[in-house]
Amino acid sequence: MARPRNCRRVGSMPGSNYFKPRGVPLSTLEEVVLSVDEFEAIRLADLEGLYQEQAAERMKISRQTFGRIIESAHSKVAEALVTGKALKIEGGEVEMASMRRFRCEGCKHSWEIPYGSGRPGSCPACESGNVRTAQEDGGSAEGLCKRRSGCCNRRGKK
Ligand SMILES: [Zn+2]
C-alpha cells in the first residue's frame, strides 16, 4: 500500500465531475481522468489567476510539484477538448473528500460522490430517479482520504 502520503489541500470540489462531448455515445467515448488535485491546480492558476508560488502554497505543496500537476492538468484538458474525449474528475491525493455512496434501485448501479456535491437526482447509468443513499463501505474511493475530521477539512458548501 503506497498511502497515505500527505494530502494536498483542496479548497473546493468540482461541482460537476463528468464532462462529455455532445452526441458521442458513452459506449464509444474515451475518457481522460483529471485528478482532483489537477482540477484544483487549474482552478487556482487559471481561474483565480494565482502565481504558481501562491497556488502551491494554498495546496501545501512545493512549487515544483505544483508545476508538474498543472502541466499534467493542462495537457489532459487539451487532450479532452482537442480529441473529443470525456473528462472525468476523480481521485488524487487530496484532503477533504469523504465520499458518499449512492445506489440505484433500478439497475443496482452504485457510485460515490464527494460530500458537499449534493444528492444526485438520477442514476448516472440508467437515469432512473430511484436513487438511495447506500451504506458507506469505504469501498472504491481510491486515493481519496476518508477521514471526516483531522486531515479532511471539508468546508461548507457554497
Ligand atoms: Zn440505474
Side-chain angles (χ1 to χ4, degrees):
M1 295 268 158
R3 50 193 284 220
R5 294 215 320 231
N6 262 352
C7 286
R8 289 162 186 170
R9 178 152 306 185
V10 171
S12 81
M13 289 301 284
S16 175
N17 64 3
Y18 201 88
F19 302 90
K20 77 183 272 295
R22 194 167 175 172
V24 180
L26 271 177
S27 56
T28 63
L29 195 60
E30 288 188 71
E31 280 178 358
V32 176
V33 178
L34 194 68
S35 65
V36 175
D37 48 350
E38 288 168 336
F39 172 87
E40 177 73 355
I42 288 183
R43 192 178 72 80
L44 293 174
D46 300 327
L47 190 64
E48 293 198 10
L50 298 184
Y51 289 112
Q52 291 204 0
E53 286 87 350
Q54 301 172 297
E57 170 72 17
R58 290 256 205 116
M59 290 177 75
K60 311 275 185 218
I61 55 181
S62 71
R63 161 124 195 238
Q64 284 75 15
T65 304
F66 185 86
R68 192 168 47 72
I69 292 172
I70 192 80
E71 195 175 314
S72 162
H74 283 158
S75 90
K76 287 179 180 179
V77 171
E79 181 186 354
L81 291 178
V82 173
T83 64
K85 292 182 181 173
L87 191 60
K88 182 177 174 181
I89 301 166
E90 69 174 13
E93 289 140 9
V94 295
E95 53 183 290
M96 155 183 177
S98 332
M99 304 297 281
R100 265 171 112 184
R101 173 166 285 274
F102 291 92
R103 180 176 153 95
C104 169
E105 294 300 308
C107 70
K108 308 295 179 203
H109 177 62
S110 78
W111 69 101
E112 285 180 323
I113 59 171
Y115 276 94
S117 40
R119 189 188 171 80
S122 62
C123 167
C126 71
E127 302 190 347
S128 155
N130 193 2
V131 168
R132 309 237 313 243
T133 309
Q135 282 312 80
E136 289 178 277
D137 57 12
S140 62
E142 193 54 48
L144 285 169
C145 178
K146 292 278 216 285
R147 284 153 59 191
R148 297 275 186 85
S149 58
C151 170
C152 284
N153 173 28
R154 188 165 74 88
R155 298 203 193 153
K157 175 81 175 158
K158 59 183 154 67

